[in-house]
């Protein structure tokens, strides 16, 4: 695995990010604020890729044993990215149709978001499998680090550029932005994929575990149960804000589409900074559980600042809260990936890593749907949309506090018989 091949793999990760950001950073705000659709419905559509994530082991196993035209991964990556890009481009058209005529638009939206979700899962499991095939054990740490860095960079750039393109918002401009993002994603995919995988290559078979096996591994081990619930609480809280930050900015502070889109870039920049800070500096001085505690506490502080900004109607406090949330997210992400690697057994590394990856996917879905549902219920109860958002962010801060209590009960030494190699990290990065 040379740096050029690593960069081309990263382009595939970037392509997926370019399709993702307009949906979670722009369309969510348009559907909830401008179109006045229920946040629960919007969240349910946006989390379809997470709900479909149990398909990944089956999709991965199929590509393992059914090469096409001499390639084990390339055809599946190409099909997945094509579905992902097509679904993403169709989502704003579906949302606009739903705004005009609800039921036909809802059917169109389910189709568009489902295409995006299936494509996302097929492409991700296939290109991460290709990364694993092409990199040796000593290279996989660098491979994943480069791909992760490129993905976060794509998130920041896409949010910045699309925000500027929508400074004067209109439905026509919205569709054009999504089509432009689809074109960029297609070009990145083509540059990254064509000629990347050697034809008729022979690679070591890697065991993939089913969802049932992963669930069984968690249920049979008390420490695994605690860690699973901890991850669910932590990730549902941190990731549950994805669908609501932009609509909150519009509702509470009258921010434009461009301004709320920039929130993703602000959050991504803070996350990237803290990832580098933790990886290069803090990890040398802090134990993993200590750093995980700091990350969750910082993220909880971010939610408190965001909630307070709504109560006090102070926009700079809202921006500060997003920065703090991003810093906490970066530290928590890095340290909990490391904890995932430690919470395995030598004989069942892949099995337990699959279970933690399943917790990640489930938490993303549960967190977003929960946030949307609480927002809708509290808005009707309180008669205040801003009060409903404040309730959600406060609840997410409390969930992080509960996760910290569970973290104290986790005994890493019960799982760790030897230091796990970073090679298994690829199994938990599938939803990044």
């Amino acid at each position: 695995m040379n740096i050029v091949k690593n960069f081309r793999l990263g382009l595939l990760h970037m392509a997926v990010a370019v399709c993702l950001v307009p949906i979670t950073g722009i369309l969510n705000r348009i559907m909830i604020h401008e179109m006045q659709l229920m946040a629960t419905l919007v969240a349910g559509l946006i989390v379809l890729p997470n709900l479909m994530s149990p398909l990944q082991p089956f999709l991965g196993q199929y590509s393992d044993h059914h090469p096409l035209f001499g390639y084990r991964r390339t055809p599946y990556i190409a099909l997945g990215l094509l579905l992902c890009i097509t679904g993403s481009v169709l989502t704003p058209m579906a949302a606009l149709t739903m705004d005009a005529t609800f039921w036909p638009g809802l059917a169109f939206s389910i189709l568009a978001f489902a295409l995006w979700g299936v494509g996302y899962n097929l492409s991700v499991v296939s290109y991460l499998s290709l990364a694993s095939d092409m990199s040796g054990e000593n290279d996989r740490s660098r491979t994943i680090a480069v791909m992760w860095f490129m993905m976060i960079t794509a998130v920041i750039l896409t949010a910045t550029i699309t925000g500027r393109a929508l400074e004067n918002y209109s439905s026509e401009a919205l569709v054009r932005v999504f089509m432009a993002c689809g074109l960029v994603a297609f070009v990145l995919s083509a540059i990254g994929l064509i000629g990347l995988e050697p034809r008729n290559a022979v690679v070591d078979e890697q065991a993939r575990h089913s969802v049932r096996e992963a669930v069984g591994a968690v249920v049979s081990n008390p420490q695994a149960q605690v860690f699973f619930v901890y991850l669910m609480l932590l990730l549902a809280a941190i990731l549950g804000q994805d669908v609501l930050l932009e609509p909150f900015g519009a509702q509470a502070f009258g921010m434009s589409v461009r301004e709320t889109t920039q929130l993703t870039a602000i959050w991504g920049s803070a996350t990237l900074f803290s990832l580098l800070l933790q990886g290069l500096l803090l990890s040398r001085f802090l134990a993993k559980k200590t750093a995980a505690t700091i990350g969750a506490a910082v993220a909880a502080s971010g939610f408190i600042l965001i909630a307070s900004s709504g109560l006090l109607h102070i926009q700079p406090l809202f921006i500060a809260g997003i920065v703090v949330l991003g810093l906490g997210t970066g530290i928590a992400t890095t340290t909990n990936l490391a904890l995932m690697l430690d919470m395995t057994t030598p004989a069942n590394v892949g099995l337990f890593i699959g279970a933690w990856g399943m917790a990640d996917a489930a938490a993303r879905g549960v967190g977003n749907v929960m946030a949307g549902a609480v927002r809708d219920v509290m808005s009707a109860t309180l008669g205040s949309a801003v009060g409903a958002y404040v309730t959600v962010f406060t609840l997410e801060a409390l969930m992080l506090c509960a996760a910290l209590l569970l973290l104290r009960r986790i005994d890493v030494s019960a799982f760790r018989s030897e230091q796990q190699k970073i090679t298994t990290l690829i199994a938990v990065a599938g939803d990044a």
Side-chain angles (χ1 to χ4, degrees):
M1 174 67 72
N2 58 43
I3 190 62
V4 174
K5 291 180 179 179
N6 199 164
F7 177 78
R8 293 181 66 189
L9 280 167
L11 290 179
L12 303 179
H13 213 24
M14 291 181 75
V16 171
V18 171
C19 292
L20 176 69
V21 170
I23 295 176
T24 60
I26 300 174
L27 195 59
N28 62 325
R29 174 244 162 89
I30 300 297
M31 294 175 75
I32 294 174
H33 186 67
E34 272 75 11
M35 298 181 182
Q36 295 293 302
L37 295 172
M38 291 179 62
T40 308
L41 172 61
V42 176
L45 291 170
I46 287 177
V47 302
L48 275 179
N50 305 115
L51 299 179
M52 294 177 175
S53 61
L55 292 173
Q56 287 199 18
F58 304 105
L59 295 172
Q61 285 177 336
Y62 191 86
S63 68
D64 286 344
H65 303 295
H66 297 83
L68 296 174
F69 313 110
Y71 297 100
R72 299 178 78 214
R73 313 297 182 193
T74 298
Y76 300 99
I77 297 171
L79 177 60
L81 287 170
L82 183 61
L83 290 174
C84 186
I85 293 168
T86 302
S88 177
V89 169
L90 290 176
T91 54
M93 305 176 196
L96 291 167
T97 302
M98 185 162 50
D99 187 39
T101 53
F102 181 78
W103 291 110
L106 178 60
F108 186 10
S109 296
I110 292 173
L111 174 62
F113 281 88
L115 282 176
W116 170 54
V118 172
Y120 173 87
N121 283 284
L122 177 57
S123 59
V124 164
V125 72
S126 300
Y127 69 65
L128 289 176
S129 295
L130 178 60
S132 181
D133 292 342
M134 295 178 63
S135 58
E137 288 190 7
N138 295 329
D139 297 329
R140 286 176 186 158
S141 176
R142 185 193 68 182
T143 299
I144 292 300
V146 171
M147 292 177 69
W148 178 264
F149 185 88
M150 291 176 68
M151 183 270 291
I152 294 291
T153 302
V155 168
I156 296 170
L157 290 175
T158 303
T160 301
I161 294 171
T162 55
R164 292 177 179 175
L166 287 170
E167 184 168 4
N168 298 313
Y169 170 73
S170 67
S171 57
E172 294 79 10
L174 178 68
V175 172
R176 285 198 301 269
V177 163
F178 271 75
M179 293 184 69
C181 287
L183 178 60
V184 170
F186 180 82
V187 171
L188 291 174
S189 302
I191 295 173
L193 187 59
I194 295 175
L196 178 61
E197 180 185 15
R199 192 172 185 180
N200 297 317
V202 178
V203 297
D204 294 333
E205 292 290 339
Q206 299 180 19
R208 295 180 187 271
H209 299 280
S210 68
V211 173
R212 179 180 297 180
E213 290 173 317
V215 170
V218 172
V219 171
S220 62
N221 190 303
Q223 279 292 315
Q225 294 173 25
V226 175
F227 190 67
F228 189 90
V229 175
Y230 159 74
L231 277 182
M232 286 285 292
L233 276 173
L234 178 85
L235 296 173
I238 288 180
L239 302 173
Q241 49 77 26
D242 279 354
V243 75
L244 293 185
L245 275 184
E246 292 83 6
F248 174 67
Q251 184 72 52
F253 306 108
M255 298 174 72
S256 66
V257 173
R258 174 183 178 178
E259 290 172 324
T260 56
T261 304
Q262 300 308 307
L263 300 178
T264 301
I266 294 170
W267 175 86
S269 299
T271 300
L272 184 58
F273 172 79
S274 60
L275 279 169
L276 295 174
L277 179 67
Q278 169 62 27
L280 299 176
L281 181 62
L282 298 182
S283 60
R284 300 182 182 183
F285 307 105
L286 298 175
K288 294 169 188 172
K289 284 182 66 173
T290 302
T293 301
I294 292 173
V298 172
S301 300
F303 280 124
I304 292 171
L305 289 175
I306 292 170
S308 299
S309 72
L311 290 174
L312 302 174
H313 199 71
I314 302 176
Q315 185 172 336
L317 191 60
F318 175 47
I319 303 300
I322 291 175
V323 172
V324 173
L325 177 61
L327 293 173
T329 299
I331 297 173
T333 298
T334 305
T335 53
N336 282 289
L337 283 175
L339 280 174
M340 286 182 196
L341 295 178
D342 289 343
M343 294 294 291
T344 63
T345 60
N348 294 290
V349 171
L351 183 60
F352 279 108
I353 290 299
W356 310 146
M358 185 175 63
D360 175 81
R364 289 172 184 265
V366 170
N368 278 280
V369 173
M370 178 207 70
V374 172
R375 180 265 185 196
D376 288 338
V377 171
M378 294 307 298
S379 181
T381 302
L382 299 175
S384 167
V386 173
Y389 286 111
V390 169
T391 302
V392 173
F393 297 133
T394 303
L395 177 61
E396 288 172 333
L398 293 174
M399 289 170 63
L400 286 174
C401 293
L404 287 174
L405 294 177
L406 285 176
L407 180 60
R408 297 176 60 184
R409 295 175 51 193
I410 295 171
D411 182 8
V412 175
S413 64
F415 267 87
R416 184 176 55 198
S417 60
E418 62 181 30
Q419 182 66 37
Q420 298 299 319
K421 295 182 180 294
I422 198 66
T423 55
T424 56
L425 182 57
I426 198 164
V428 297
D431 285 324

